[in-house]
Amino acid sequence: MTLKKVSFKVKVAGSVNDGFLMTREVGRKTKEALWAKISELSPNSVLEMDFSNIKFMDVSGADEAVVKLLTRLETGEYPDRFIVLSHVSSQHKENIETALKVNEKTAIVKKEDGSWDIWGELNSSYKEIIQEIAEKGSMTARETQEKMNYRTVNEVSTKLGLLYKKCLLAREPYRKAVVGGGRQYKYISLI
Amino acid sequence: MAEEYKISTPKKKIDDRIFDTDIIGQYDAIPFSKGRVAVDLRNIKFVNPYGALGMLILCETILAGFGERADLLLPGTSDGSEIASWLGSLGFLEALQGAANINFPPPFNSHNGPSYIKVSKINSLQDVEKVTVELFYKLQPILIHKLGYREEEGNRAATLISELCSNIYQHSAPDGERPHGYMAMQSYQNSLKMAVMDLGRGIPETVKSKCNSYEGKSDGDIIHSVCREGIPCQGHISLGLYQTLKITKRGEGILNIRSGKAKILFDYRQESSVGDRKIPTPFFSGTQIGIYLPKKEEKKRGLENDFEEGIF
């Protein structure tokens, strides 16, 4: 399976000050516009939120347009839709990271040089899994277990399931359900 | 015959410390009754943005409490004082119109100067946006060329103002009432000084109304806590003061917050050994916030004396 990647330049909604994503009210309206865009996506799509039009973002704007959006995605209202942040400046970063950390959320950020980063709250073992899958493109739990020397498949399956719930990895059914066990998935990098 | 009261200071300046202690202390000592209040600043030679906004909200508080305008006595231009001219340029006198009787026809030629942003009202969401956008463009040359900041550091200062002014709009007024506050900024003596004030409920009351777990805590503890952790608010954590503290710390500056009956001073200058200080104050309406950010190379120098002398 290939994820469909859709790039979208974030525009400030509900303000005459174009490019200033600030205050909770403007953040909420911008979030609603972004959510409308997400609702148009087909399953297994990644919305690359391009912030190059945003000159300034405060922490309230970041909280609404990034953290609240992630929170809503995590509820599964539109399952298998994901977001990646791109063209984020150091000014954006400071406020996005604060909002993510305080709310214990995590976002994947695509950098302009093609590399990527993980912002927010995430244990290093989970970050390593995302890194490993990003290098391969996709991996099953068993492949991840073998590659990363986890003791059991269950241990790594739990971690992969959590990363999927946090919308940091996509997944597709891999094989029929194993005897006496759950369904197997192939986990796919958003990058 | 109506009682007459006088508020003045033996010092020659009005800054954060003098407003929070001397001036508020004198106001608090006035028994609430009908009468006239004179605010005598005739010997003043220096007013920083915090002092100017403080005197503005003091006059508004007197008008609201006594039903009569205070008599504000400023040094006349004939004394050779430049203070009236400065207060005119800063927009202090313009903002004060209707809230106090001033002892001479004031010059209302307020404008933003190369090193300051005039007193700006924060009464609406549009005001918050207007002030932040103005600061975003205005602060860059001051911070970069005058104070040696990098562009991203300059943006942080705009974040501070955006967050603090948003707090006025979002938190200060009780439900259904119009928020009311002010912001001013000045680059002075190799530093940047910003002040944001409102006449709302104040941080302790606002926080208690949103979260029961703060009941019974002192005003100082509540202010300290919201700066360290944010304010739980209607399904999210309001991070304005949290982020303000973080940016002040990164800038190795000072954050001064007075609300309710307490003042908290967060001092992050390199040489400072003060740290966080909770200082009891008399009660005064709303929230008064002052921020000091030093010039880059000034961080290496001892600024303890500047602070002790009350420049901040």
Side-chain angles (χ1 to χ4, degrees):
Chain A
M1 182 182 79
T2 309
L3 294 177
K4 186 180 176 190
K5 295 181 181 172
V6 178
S7 182
F8 180 71
K9 285 204 175 196
V10 177
K11 288 180 189 160
V12 170
S15 171
V16 293
N17 299 299
D18 197 25
F20 284 78
L21 179 50
M22 60 185 179
T23 74
R24 200 152 288 278
E25 283 69 16
V26 171
R28 274 191 199 118
K29 287 173 184 163
T30 304
K31 176 190 69 187
E32 290 310 318
L34 287 165
W35 191 248
K37 186 72 192 169
I38 285 170
S39 72
E40 294 168 4
L41 299 177
S42 53
N44 297 311
S45 295
V46 181
L47 185 70
E48 185 183 306
M49 291 166 53
D50 176 341
F51 286 92
S52 57
N53 281 341
I54 304 299
K55 295 188 192 87
F56 175 81
M57 183 191 299
D58 70 4
V59 74
S60 302
D63 189 43
E64 290 292 334
V66 177
V67 175
K68 291 281 201 304
L69 202 70
L70 270 170
T71 306
R72 200 164 166 188
L73 275 176
E74 286 176 16
T75 64
E77 190 175 336
Y78 289 111
D80 298 312
R81 277 79 164 181
F82 307 90
I83 61 170
V84 166
L85 316 183
S86 78
H87 294 87
V88 281
S89 70
S90 57
Q91 193 276 324
H92 303 150
K93 181 180 179 183
E94 188 152 37
N95 292 318
I96 292 173
E97 280 208 309
T98 294
L100 286 168
K101 280 184 179 167
V102 170
N103 290 284
E104 297 178 344
K105 298 290 177 196
T106 316
I108 292 181
V109 183
K110 190 176 158 188
K111 295 182 182 174
E112 291 191 42
D113 63 4
S115 64
W116 55 276
D117 201 357
I118 298 169
W119 290 358
E121 282 293 297
L122 195 66
N123 183 294
S124 60
S125 67
Y126 288 90
K127 286 184 181 174
E128 285 162 12
I129 291 174
I130 293 176
Q131 174 79 42
E132 199 64 45
I133 293 177
E135 282 174 17
K136 301 279 180 195
S138 65
M139 288 172 89
T140 63
R142 182 163 296 284
E143 287 167 345
T144 310
Q145 183 228 346
E146 287 169 358
K147 175 77 180 168
M148 301 186 73
N149 299 319
Y150 276 92
R151 282 187 305 161
T152 64
V153 174
N154 272 352
E155 188 185 358
V156 78
S157 287
T158 305
K159 287 182 184 266
L160 287 166
L162 189 134
L163 289 170
Y164 170 73
K165 279 186 184 167
K166 286 175 78 69
C167 299
L168 298 171
L169 288 175
R171 73 181 185 189
E172 65 172 333
Y174 180 52
R175 283 182 187 150
K176 289 180 183 174
V178 293
V179 178
R183 194 161 193 180
Q184 288 193 78
Y185 293 98
K186 188 173 273 272
Y187 288 85
I188 305 159
S189 168
L190 303 187
I191 300 293
Chain B
M1 188 176 159
E3 293 286 333
E4 290 188 5
Y5 305 102
K6 184 175 168 185
I7 293 173
S8 64
T9 174
K11 310 274 185 185
K12 294 198 179 302
K13 62 191 171 194
I14 306 282
D15 61 10
D16 311 53
R17 190 165 50 177
I18 289 168
F19 179 76
D20 288 345
T21 52
D22 292 4
I23 303 291
I24 291 182
Q26 288 178 62
Y27 174 74
D28 190 58
I30 296 175
F32 189 77
S33 63
K34 287 193 172 180
R36 291 189 73 83
V37 181
V39 180
D40 189 347
L41 305 180
R42 281 176 293 185
N43 62 336
I44 294 301
K45 304 285 184 199
F46 174 83
V47 179
N48 76 2
Y50 193 98
L53 294 194
M55 300 316 291
L56 184 53
I57 62 170
L58 174 70
C59 289
E60 290 186 349
T61 303
I62 290 169
L63 178 60
F66 287 73
E68 283 200 48
R69 292 176 190 169
D71 295 319
L72 181 67
L73 306 174
L74 295 172
T77 47
S78 59
D79 300 342
S81 168
E82 293 178 355
I83 197 75
S85 164
W86 159 239
L87 290 173
S89 301
L90 187 65
F92 168 79
L93 299 174
E94 192 177 325
L96 197 65
Q97 280 189 84
N101 304 312
I102 307 171
N103 58 330
F104 63 90
F108 286 148
N109 55 339
S110 66
H111 51 83
N112 289 326
S115 62
Y116 62 89
I117 287 184
K118 69 174 192 174
V119 173
S120 304
K121 271 189 187 175
I122 310 292
N123 291 352
S124 66
L125 182 60
Q126 288 70 33
D127 290 341
V128 177
E129 293 185 25
K130 185 175 163 228
V131 164
T132 308
V133 172
E134 192 172 84
L135 264 164
F136 180 80
Y137 292 113
K138 179 93 184 176
L139 273 174
Q140 297 295 343
I142 294 175
L143 289 167
I144 294 169
H145 302 304
K146 199 171 172 186
L147 300 179
Y149 281 64
R150 295 195 308 272
E151 185 180 341
E152 64 194 64
E153 294 171 314
N155 290 336
R156 283 190 195 120
T159 303
L160 289 176
I161 290 300
S162 171
E163 297 300 341
L164 295 176
C165 293
S166 290
N167 276 357
I168 293 178
Y169 171 74
Q170 203 177 330
H171 298 300
S172 72
D175 290 344
E177 288 187 25
R178 195 177 187 204
H180 179 61
Y182 296 98
M183 185 286 300
M185 184 217 84
Q186 183 190 14
S187 166
Y188 179 77
Q189 287 193 347
N190 291 333
S191 65
L192 183 75
K193 295 181 177 78
M194 295 183 266
V196 177
M197 298 191 182
D198 68 71
L199 280 173
R201 289 180 293 181
I203 294 169
E205 286 307 308
T206 302
V207 171
K208 282 182 204 166
S209 73
K210 291 178 192 294
C211 186
N212 292 337
S213 64
Y214 286 93
E215 280 298 338
K217 286 192 175 178
S218 74
D219 289 358
D221 285 345
I222 292 174
I223 298 168
H224 195 265
S225 172
V226 297
C227 289
R228 293 283 185 197
E229 297 154 23
I231 308 171
C233 169
Q234 295 160 346
H236 64 261
I237 299 171
S238 183
L239 296 168
L241 287 171
Y242 174 91
Q243 191 72 340
T244 298
L245 182 64
K246 195 174 145 191
I247 293 171
T248 307
K249 186 175 184 180
R250 193 173 275 194
E252 295 172 7
I254 301 171
L255 174 63
N256 174 52
I257 304 181
R258 204 220 62 79
S259 196
K261 290 183 176 177
K263 161 177 171 153
I264 310 282
L265 195 67
F266 297 94
D267 187 347
Y268 293 117
R269 290 169 301 160
Q270 277 188 350
E271 295 78 13
S272 171
S273 56
V274 175
D276 304 356
R277 267 196 300 171
K278 294 177 195 170
I279 304 158
T281 69
F283 177 82
F284 192 74
S285 299
T287 301
Q288 295 80 47
I289 298 175
I291 299 163
Y292 161 96
L293 294 174
K295 185 175 180 175
K296 279 297 174 182
E297 55 265 43
E298 295 299 312
K299 289 178 184 176
K300 307 270 183 227
R301 282 181 36 208
L303 287 170
E304 210 68 29
N305 290 338
D306 287 355
F307 178 66
E308 290 308 321
E309 286 165 11
I311 286 173
F312 172 60

